[in-house]
Amino acid sequence: MKEINDLILPEEVLYADDHEWARMEDGIVTIGVSDYAQDQLGDIVYVELPDIDDVYEKGEEFGSIESVKAVSEMYMPVGGKVVEINSDLENSPELINQSPYDDGWIIKVLPDDENELDDLLEKDAYIAMLKGSE
Amino acid sequence: MRYLPHTENDISVMLDAVKKETLEDLFTVIPENCKRKDLLALPGALTEWELDSLMKTRAGANASPTEYTVFLGAGSYNHFIPETVSYLIGRSEFATSYTPYQPEVSQGTLQAIYEYQTFAAMLTGMDLSNASLYDGATALAEACLMALRISKKNTIAISTLIHPHYRHVVNTYLEPTDCEVIEIPMLESGCTDFSVISGERELAAVVVQSPNFFGCIENIEELSEICRKGDSLLISSFTEPLAYGLFKTPGEQGADIVCGEGQSLGIPVSFGGPGLGIFTTRSKYVRSMPGRLVGKTKDKNGRRGFVLTLATREQHIRRGRATSNICTNSSLCALAATIYMSSLGKTGFRNLAKINYDKSEYLKKKLTDKGYDIPFAAPAFNEFVVKCPDGFRHTYDELLKKHIVAGLPLAKYYPELTEHYLFCVTETSSKESMDAFLKEIP
Amino acid sequence: MNEGKKSIAESISREPLLWDRGRVGRSGFSLPKRDVEDTPINEALLGQGPDFPDVSEVDVVRHFTKLSQLNFGVDTGMYPLGSCTMKYNPKINEKQAKLEGFTGAHPLLPCELSQGALEVMAELEEFLLEITGMDAVTLQPAAGAHGELTGMLIMHAYHKFHGSHRTKIIIPDTAHGTNPASAALCGFKTVPVTSGPDGILGADTVAEIMDEETAGIMITNPNTLGLFEEHILKIAEAVHEKGGLVYGDGANMNAIMGIADVGALGIDILHLNLHKTFSTPHGGGGPGSGPVCVMKNLASFLPVPRIITHNGEFALSEDFPLSIGRIHGFYGNFSVMVKALSYILSMGSDLKKASQLAVLNANYIKEKLKDVLHLPFDRPCMHECVFTDRLQQKNKISTLDMAKRLIDYGYHPPTIYFPLVVSGAIMIEPTETESKEEIDNFVEAFKAIAEEAAHSPDLLRQAPTAGRISRLDETEAARHPCLTG
C-alpha cells in the first residue's frame, strides 16, 4: 500500500471524511473516491451505481464499491439529484484504481445547496486527517 | 479410544509444555458454576462390531424398497443410482474436505462445482446456477426472499399445487417479514388457475411448481406472459427434475428463478435428507443470488483454475446485508448429482425420463381400466392422483401388510380430497410389481 | 519437453472439463429395461432435454478420480482450519449411513414402517440433550447457519407470543459472520458490541446496551478467539433482566463436551454443528446438520414435525400450535444424523476426553508458536488459538503469504483474516485427532516459515510453488464472472 506522501491528491477537488472527492464545474458536482480509498480497497471488482434522477441527501448512501473480499458504502459528499453515472465502470471497475480522479469518476450530481461543499476538506486538511488516523 | 492418538506420555509432556498439571486444569478459566458436576450419562462406548449390529437392527426396522413396493414420491423419489456415484463421492479427498476457501488445495471440489453449476443451468434452461442450497423447500424460500429484494414489492402469490411442505417452509421463512403470501387456487384439470392473478401489478413474484404436487405439467409460458405484464418475477419450483429430460424447461418458458430439489439425481431418499437445493437464475440477477458461486479464472502462470467468487454477496462479508445467511450447503450432494448427470448423459437422461413417463402411464391406464377415477386430466410426469372408492383406507392398510405402500393419502394436505391418493412410479417400479399391486386391489 | 507430450505430473495437474470428454453414442448408465409399452406425449409440451455430454463409465470414474486428486482432505493431512473442527471422520459411520434400511427409507412412509429411522433420531436427540444439559431439541436444521435462523425464528416467535415487539439484537465482535445475517432474516437490527481488552465480553458492556427493544444476544462460547466467555452468567442475567433471550452459537462445542453445562450457562437457545463436533464429514462444504437445543420455556416453539412416542411407538407430530413451523422439506439431514449417532455411540463418555485433548492440542500449539507469531491474547485458550502477522509485517509478509506457504509444507492453511476483531488473524484449530508428532511437525513447519519470512520472504510471496497450481486471480474472477462452461 502507498505511503501518504506517495498518494495522488489533486488540489482542485474537495475531500470527504469517508474518502469521496467532489469537484464543482458549471454547477454540476462530479463525485469519485480518493487515491487513498482505492489504494486501501485494492483491486475494485464491482461498483453499484445509483439510477439517474435518484435524489440523495448529503451523507446518504448512494452506492457501494467492492473489492474481492470487502464491500464499502459510498456516501454523498453533497446532497442533490444524480444527473449522470459513469457507465464505463460496469465493465471496467478497474478505472477507479487506474484513474480515480478522471476516468474513474463515479457520478455527477446537481447539488441542492452548493454551500454544503464548504464542509469538505481541502487537500492539506485531508492529508492531516489521513495522518491523524494512522 | 481409537480416534484419540495421545498416549499417557504424550499427554504428560504436552501438559508440561503448557504448564498444567492435569487435563482438568486446562479448564480453570471456566467458572465453577458453569461446569458440569456429573459425568456424561451416555451408554458405554461400542466396538465397531457392536455398532454394526445395533445399526443393522435400526435400519431393519424401516421398510426398504427391496422388501416393499412403494408407490410414494411427493418430493422424494426412488431411482436407481449407478454404483459409481457412491464410490466417487466416497473418495476421502472430496468427502473430508471443507468449503474450498483455499483454492490451491481445493481444485477438485471447485472444478466439480463449476461443472455442477453448468449442468444445473442446462437442466433448468437458465443462465447460471449457484453451488447449491440445502434442499428444494429452503431453495424456494430463498427464491422468495430474493424476489422481494429485487422487486421491492411485498406480496407473493404461490400456487396451492406447490408441495405443501415447501409452502409451509416459505411461510416460516417469511413470517418475520411484512410480506403477504396469497395462495392461487387450482383448476379442475389439476393445474394452477393463473386467471386470478392476471392484471395484478403488486406481486413481487408468482410461484409455481412444474411438474406440480399432483405431477401435472403447468403452463409456464402462459404464466410468464402474465408475470411480464404485471412486472412480477416468475419463480418456478420443482421436486422431480428428471421431468426436464422430456418436457420443456422452466427457463425456455420464461422463468426468472428456477429452484427445487435435486434428490432425484443420484441421491438416495435417506428419510428425506440430505437433499440438494438447486437454484438457477438469469445473469442479470447474479448479484442478488443467495449461496456460493464458483468461477473460472487463471493462476499466476496462466493455467486455468477455479475459485469461489462474488463473495461480497455472502454472510461472512456483507453480514447483516448479505443475500442469505447460508454457509454450509449441499456440496457433496451437488457432486453426486454431477456424477449422476454425466453418467446418464443427454441420451440416457432423456431415455430414462421417457421410461419413467411410460411406466406411470401404464399404471394410470391399468387403474382406469379397473374403474378407478383419475380426477386430473392434465398431462403428468411420474406422479398422478387417483380417486379411490370409499373405504379404500381399509384396503390401503391391508396392502401395507402385504408390503405394498399404495401412494400418499392426500386428505391430510387437501382436506377436500378424501380418498384421493398420490401415486408415484419410477423406473424402479417393475411391470411385475405394478401388476401384483393391481391384482390385490378391488 | 516435446510439443504434445506431457509428464505424469502435468497430466494429473489439469483435468479437462467433463464435456470435453463427451462423444455422442457413449453412455455411463445401465439403462433399466423397458417392460411397458411406449406412450406418446403431447408434442407441444416436449423439450430438447438438457445437453449433457455422453460419456462412458470409465470416463466418469477417471474424471472424478483425477479431480479428487486435486483436493486436500482430513484424510490427506492436518487441516487446522479454525472454527471448522476438521477432526477425523470415522469410516464406520459412513457404513452405517449407507445401510439400505436407511438410504431407502422414504420420508412419507407411514410411521409404523419407519420406526428404525425415528428411533435413530429420538436417540440422537436424547444424547444431544445429555451432552448440552438443555431440555428440548430439533434435528431439522440442515447446517449451522440454518440452526441460527431457526433459533432466531424461535426468539422472534417467543417475543411475539409475549406481546413484545423487539427489533434489535446484540452481537459481539467475536461472533461468527453468519450471526448478523441470520438475525437480519428475522428483521433484527444488529447492535455490535466490542469485547474487552482480554478478548472476552464484559457483562457491564452488555447491560449498558440491553433494553426492552432488544430481543437478546447471539454469543459464541467459546468465542472465535478461542476464549471462554467467563462472564456468560452475568451477561445472561443482564439480558434476561430486560426480558431478552440468549442465543448460543455452539459451533465451538468441541471444546467443552462433558466439561461445561450449557444448560447452566444461562443460554436459552443453542445450535450444534454435527459436521464439526460430532465428526460427520464436511463433504467440501456440506451437507451438514445444525440441531437446535432450547430450554423448557421455548420447547413449544420448536419446528414441526417433532418426534413423539405414542403407545410405545415413535411418531411424528405437527400438533404444536406455537411452533415456528417447518424449516426443511422433511426432517433434516437424516444420513448425517446416523453418522453423528454412530460417533456418539462409539465414543461414549470419551467425548469428554476428546474435548480435553482438543484443548490440550490448541494450548500446546499456542505455547510452541508464540515466540515466532504474535499472540494478541496471551491467556489459556480453548480448542483453538489466534495469532496475527504483526511480527512478519516488517518484512512485508502477510497472513495470506504464510498460509499459502503452509501448503508447500503439506498442510491445509488455518482460517485466515477471521475473526475480524484482530487484524491479519491466523486461527488454528488442531482438533483432538491430531497426535503430538503431527502437531510437532506442524509447529516446526510454521517456525521454518517464520524464518523464511525474515530471510527469504519471496519464497512466501510466490507460494504455493510445490503444488499443481499457483495463486489464482480472484480479481479477474470477480470482475468478469464466468460461472458456467
Side-chain angles (χ1 to χ4, degrees):
Chain A
M1 270 174 223
K2 293 186 184 181
E3 302 293 330
I4 288 180
N5 293 335
D6 299 335
L7 293 171
I8 303 165
L9 298 169
E11 304 273 359
E12 73 276 12
V13 306
L14 294 166
Y15 300 88
D17 294 358
D18 306 305
H19 311 290
E20 292 83 10
W21 57 257
R23 182 169 55 214
M24 181 80 168
E25 271 168 324
D26 305 328
I28 298 291
V29 180
T30 304
I31 294 168
V33 300
S34 75
D35 191 33
Y36 175 80
Q38 73 76 20
D39 182 57
Q40 290 285 320
L41 290 166
D43 292 335
I44 307 295
V45 298
Y46 183 70
V47 188
E48 193 189 352
L49 297 167
D51 290 323
I52 289 176
D53 289 342
D54 282 357
V55 177
Y56 298 96
E57 286 178 25
K58 180 182 170 77
E60 210 181 333
E61 181 189 327
F62 69 87
S64 63
I65 184 166
E66 298 183 8
S67 59
V68 172
K69 287 185 175 134
V71 188
S72 310
E73 273 73 43
M74 297 182 289
Y75 302 98
M76 295 291 271
V78 49
K81 185 169 85 167
V82 178
V83 292
E84 205 178 331
I85 55 173
N86 185 355
S87 46
D88 289 346
L89 297 177
E90 279 168 27
N91 284 319
S92 308
E94 62 274 17
L95 290 175
I96 292 179
N97 295 116
Q98 292 161 359
S99 171
Y101 304 99
D102 296 306
D103 297 343
W105 65 275
I106 296 170
I107 55 172
K108 295 189 184 186
V109 171
L110 177 68
D112 293 334
D113 177 3
E114 290 181 18
N115 294 326
E116 284 179 354
L117 289 168
D118 298 346
D119 306 338
L120 301 178
L121 307 173
E122 303 216 351
K123 176 182 175 175
D124 291 345
Y126 183 59
I127 291 177
M129 188 198 84
L130 293 179
K131 286 192 171 150
S133 69
E134 276 217 326
Chain B
M1 206 299 145
R2 64 192 186 281
Y3 311 147
L4 306 176
H6 300 64
T7 65
E8 285 308 315
N9 188 49
D10 291 339
I11 293 174
S12 104
V13 173
M14 292 172 83
L15 281 171
D16 278 352
V18 302
K19 302 175 194 76
K20 299 281 181 192
E21 299 272 316
T22 65
L23 288 172
E24 300 285 345
D25 291 347
L26 291 164
F27 298 92
T28 47
V29 289
I30 301 183
E32 278 309 311
N33 50 2
C34 295
K35 279 193 182 154
R36 215 187 152 98
K37 311 286 175 293
D38 49 354
L39 296 173
L40 285 170
L42 295 171
L46 301 183
T47 64
E48 272 196 48
W49 336 113
E50 288 164 339
L51 180 69
D52 274 347
S53 140
L54 178 77
M55 284 298 187
K56 213 172 151 191
T57 313
R58 298 273 183 277
N62 297 322
S64 91
T66 46
E67 291 163 14
Y68 279 73
T69 300
V70 181
F71 295 112
L72 278 177
S76 184
Y77 302 93
N78 261 308
H79 287 291
F80 289 130
I81 302 175
E83 191 55 33
T84 45
V85 175
S86 93
Y87 168 79
L88 288 166
I89 68 168
R91 285 192 64 97
S92 74
E93 299 90 333
F94 284 132
T96 72
S97 58
Y98 201 72
T99 299
Y101 290 131
Q102 297 289 336
E104 296 85 352
V105 283
S106 319
Q107 282 300 303
T109 296
L110 287 162
Q111 182 171 336
I113 296 175
Y114 178 79
E115 291 174 349
Y116 163 78
Q117 290 176 178
T118 305
F119 284 179
M122 269 181 198
L123 176 71
T124 53
M126 300 298 281
D127 297 336
L128 47 92
S129 162
N130 70 11
S132 75
L133 298 174
Y134 310 130
D135 73 346
T138 56
L140 181 58
E142 291 278 10
C144 292
L145 291 169
M146 174 169 152
L148 292 169
R149 278 194 302 275
I150 293 173
S151 69
K152 302 190 173 76
K153 301 181 199 174
N154 71 348
T155 307
I156 289 197
I158 183 163
S159 160
T160 189
L161 293 172
I162 296 261
H163 194 301
H165 292 177
Y166 288 28
R167 277 182 280 139
H168 196 169
V169 171
V170 167
N171 286 330
T172 306
Y173 267 64
L174 295 182
E175 206 283 327
T177 70
D178 56 3
C179 170
E180 194 194 344
V181 179
I182 54 174
E183 289 214 350
I184 320 174
M186 64 174 113
L187 295 162
E188 277 184 8
S189 66
C191 288
T192 309
D193 183 3
F194 302 128
S195 67
V196 300
I197 50 150
S198 184
E200 191 60 65
R201 294 199 53 83
E202 293 309 310
L203 300 175
V206 181
V207 188
V208 67
Q209 173 183 323
S210 184
N212 66 27
F213 188 61
F214 296 165
C216 299
I217 308 294
E218 297 273 7
N219 189 341
I220 296 178
E221 238 155 343
E222 179 198 338
L223 176 59
S224 150
E225 190 62 20
I226 293 170
C227 287
R228 203 179 51 77
K229 286 188 186 141
D231 199 18
S232 316
L233 292 167
L234 197 175
I235 300 175
S236 191
S237 172
F238 61 85
T239 58
E240 178 47 294
L242 187 59
Y244 304 143
L246 270 187
F247 296 99
K248 281 185 186 160
T249 60
E252 69 191 285
Q253 298 179 84
D256 296 294
I257 302 171
V258 183
C259 55
E261 177 56 63
Q263 174 270 324
S264 270
L265 308 170
I267 300 157
V269 295
S270 275
F271 207 51
L276 165 65
I278 295 180
F279 193 105
T280 64
T281 188
R282 307 254 170 234
S283 299
K284 62 179 168 183
Y285 299 128
V286 63
R287 286 177 190 273
S288 303
M289 213 179 183
R292 293 206 181 89
L293 291 166
V294 170
K296 189 167 81 168
T297 188
K298 289 197 163 78
D299 80 350
K300 276 184 171 176
N301 303 314
R303 277 179 296 209
R304 185 196 65 208
F306 302 89
V307 291
L308 290 174
T309 193
L310 302 184
T312 47
R313 299 163 300 113
E314 293 183 63
Q315 43 77 27
H316 59 284
I317 295 178
R318 206 169 285 224
R319 301 172 79 90
R321 300 171 75 179
T323 54
S324 167
N325 72 333
I326 193 165
C327 187
T328 288
N329 53 27
S330 288
S331 201
L332 204 66
C333 299
L335 176 67
T338 312
I339 297 168
Y340 180 85
M341 290 186 275
S342 33
S343 297
L344 269 72
K346 179 187 171 82
T347 316
F349 201 75
R350 192 166 185 86
N351 288 341
L352 184 67
K354 187 63 174 49
I355 288 177
N356 273 255
Y357 177 80
D358 290 341
K359 290 205 178 215
S360 61
E361 289 299 312
Y362 174 81
L363 185 62
K364 202 193 267 184
K365 180 164 178 300
K366 290 287 171 183
L367 283 165
T368 318
D369 291 349
K370 279 190 88 125
Y372 283 74
D373 182 23
I374 306 293
F376 304 120
F381 182 79
N382 264 14
E383 286 179 279
F384 56 91
V385 176
V386 182
K387 164 111 173 56
C388 297
D390 287 350
F392 186 78
R393 184 74 217 191
H394 176 72
T395 314
Y396 183 91
D397 289 339
E398 287 302 308
L399 287 168
L400 287 183
K401 290 182 198 150
K402 293 174 183 162
H403 284 203
I404 297 172
V405 184
L408 181 72
L410 284 176
K412 181 185 168 197
Y413 306 101
Y414 300 88
E416 69 279 16
L417 298 182
T418 49
E419 298 299 357
H420 285 64
Y421 290 78
L422 179 64
F423 275 75
C424 175
V425 178
T426 72
E427 79 279 7
T428 62
S429 319
S430 66
K431 176 169 180 289
E432 204 184 341
S433 66
M434 290 189 273
D435 289 345
F437 158 67
L438 289 161
K439 231 180 249 164
E440 295 291 344
I441 55 169
Chain C
M1 185 152 305
N2 294 337
E3 196 66 30
K5 290 193 179 176
K6 48 184 183 172
S7 67
I8 294 172
E10 258 181 282
S11 71
I12 56 174
S13 76
R14 246 186 75 126
E15 169 60 15
L17 288 157
L18 189 59
W19 36 94
D20 296 336
R21 287 180 178 266
R23 298 289 179 274
V24 175
R26 287 190 187 142
S27 168
F29 184 62
S30 171
L31 194 73
K33 291 199 178 73
R34 167 184 296 281
D35 53 5
V36 297
E37 64 271 34
D38 192 275
T39 310
I41 308 180
N42 178 353
E43 292 279 335
L45 301 174
L46 279 183
Q48 300 296 312
D51 197 16
F52 302 145
D54 284 337
V55 291
S56 72
E57 180 166 328
V58 189
D59 289 329
V60 171
V61 171
R62 291 226 172 111
H63 177 72
F64 289 100
T65 299
K66 283 189 178 178
L67 289 190
S68 76
Q69 290 167 338
L70 305 177
N71 254 17
F72 188 103
V74 173
D75 289 2
T76 321
M78 186 169 161
Y79 209 125
L81 203 59
S83 209
C84 301
T85 313
M86 295 299 282
K87 63 169 75 176
Y88 170 67
N89 312 129
K91 305 312 160 199
I92 192 70
N93 302 353
E94 301 298 310
K95 178 179 175 188
Q96 312 310 337
K98 278 190 199 163
L99 287 169
E100 212 213 0
F102 292 142
T103 57
H106 194 283
L108 296 174
L109 281 171
C111 284
E112 64 261 36
L113 295 185
S114 25
Q115 287 298 301
L118 293 171
E119 187 167 4
V120 161
M121 293 170 70
E123 230 168 359
L124 180 60
E125 287 187 351
E126 184 194 325
F127 293 159
L128 295 179
L129 293 178
E130 170 60 23
I131 293 163
T132 56
M134 301 201 52
D135 297 325
V137 58
T138 175
L139 303 175
Q140 221 180 104
H146 203 206
E148 288 174 29
L149 171 62
T150 306
M152 286 298 101
L153 288 165
I154 290 171
M155 202 182 266
H156 189 266
Y158 167 87
H159 287 307
K160 195 170 170 185
F161 178 71
H162 289 282
S164 144
H165 182 67
R166 299 189 180 223
T167 53
K168 298 185 286 182
I169 187 130
I170 301 170
I171 302 186
D173 52 5
T174 49
H176 280 111
T178 41
N179 290 178
S182 302
L185 280 167
C186 293
F188 294 133
K189 209 169 158 276
T190 301
V191 181
V193 47
T194 316
S195 2
D198 46 2
I200 57 175
L201 194 58
D204 294 345
T205 330
V206 175
E208 268 168 39
I209 50 171
M210 183 63 207
D211 59 21
E212 274 155 16
E213 280 165 24
T214 305
I217 188 170
M218 289 184 96
I219 190 164
T220 307
N221 198 13
N223 70 23
T224 56
L225 289 165
L227 306 176
F228 192 84
E229 293 289 359
E230 292 174 31
H231 311 303
I232 182 73
L233 283 171
K234 287 216 155 116
I235 291 170
E237 213 170 275
V239 172
H240 289 150
E241 211 164 78
K242 295 280 164 68
L245 295 175
V246 180
Y247 182 91
D249 180 327
N252 296 339
M253 191 69 197
N254 205 43
I256 54 171
M257 282 187 292
I259 294 153
D261 181 353
V262 184
L265 297 182
I267 287 172
D268 302 294
I269 312 171
L270 172 86
H271 90 257
L272 300 169
N273 298 69
L274 299 187
H275 51 288
K276 294 182 179 176
T277 315
F278 297 96
S279 89
T280 75
H282 289 62
S289 176
V292 172
C293 309
V294 295
M295 298 308 279
K296 208 169 277 152
N297 59 332
L298 296 171
S300 48
F301 298 100
L302 286 172
V304 286
R306 288 173 62 187
I307 300 166
I308 54 165
T309 45
H310 184 70
N311 297 334
E313 290 220 322
F314 295 101
L316 289 161
S317 169
E318 297 194 29
D319 191 17
F320 293 92
L322 292 182
S323 164
I324 58 165
R326 219 176 240 285
I327 49 127
H328 184 272
F330 292 102
Y331 323 115
N333 287 342
F334 175 73
S335 82
V336 179
M337 298 170 204
V338 174
K339 297 176 198 179
L341 177 66
S342 300
Y343 177 71
I344 296 171
L345 288 169
S346 304
M347 293 291 285
S349 53
D350 269 343
L351 281 177
K352 179 176 180 177
K353 188 83 177 278
S355 282
Q356 289 174 326
L357 295 177
V359 172
L360 177 65
N361 278 356
N363 276 285
Y364 183 74
I365 289 181
K366 178 173 73 73
E367 283 306 314
K368 292 280 173 180
L369 281 180
K370 72 180 186 187
D371 295 335
V372 296
L373 290 173
H374 168 242
L375 181 67
F377 300 102
D378 189 3
R379 44 186 288 134
C381 66
M382 292 281 111
H383 64 303
E384 62 196 0
C385 52
V386 177
F387 296 98
T388 84
D389 57 3
R390 187 184 288 178
L391 300 179
Q392 284 70 36
Q393 273 176 8
K394 61 175 184 291
N395 295 312
K396 300 225 178 238
I397 285 299
S398 67
T399 289
L400 184 74
D401 298 325
M402 290 189 275
K404 297 297 186 195
R405 186 63 177 155
L406 268 173
I407 295 174
D408 286 338
Y409 280 83
Y411 295 96
H412 191 283
T415 292
I416 54 175
Y417 300 104
F418 186 84
L420 306 172
V421 60
V422 288
S423 150
I426 302 167
M427 186 195 214
I428 302 173
E429 179 180 6
T431 83
E432 72 280 9
T433 57
E434 295 305 322
S435 67
K436 178 175 175 296
E437 289 91 327
E438 287 285 358
I439 292 191
D440 283 335
N441 291 339
F442 175 77
V443 163
E444 286 316 309
F446 226 132
K447 284 184 172 168
I449 291 170
E451 190 68 19
E452 288 171 351
H455 299 111
S456 34
D458 253 351
L459 276 177
L460 276 70
R461 290 187 201 112
Q462 295 306 320
T465 49
R468 292 152 176 156
I469 197 146
S470 57
R471 279 193 217 182
L472 288 143
D473 188 348
E474 298 191 41
T475 303
E476 190 48 31
R479 275 186 186 157
H480 301 110
C482 172
L483 308 174
T484 54

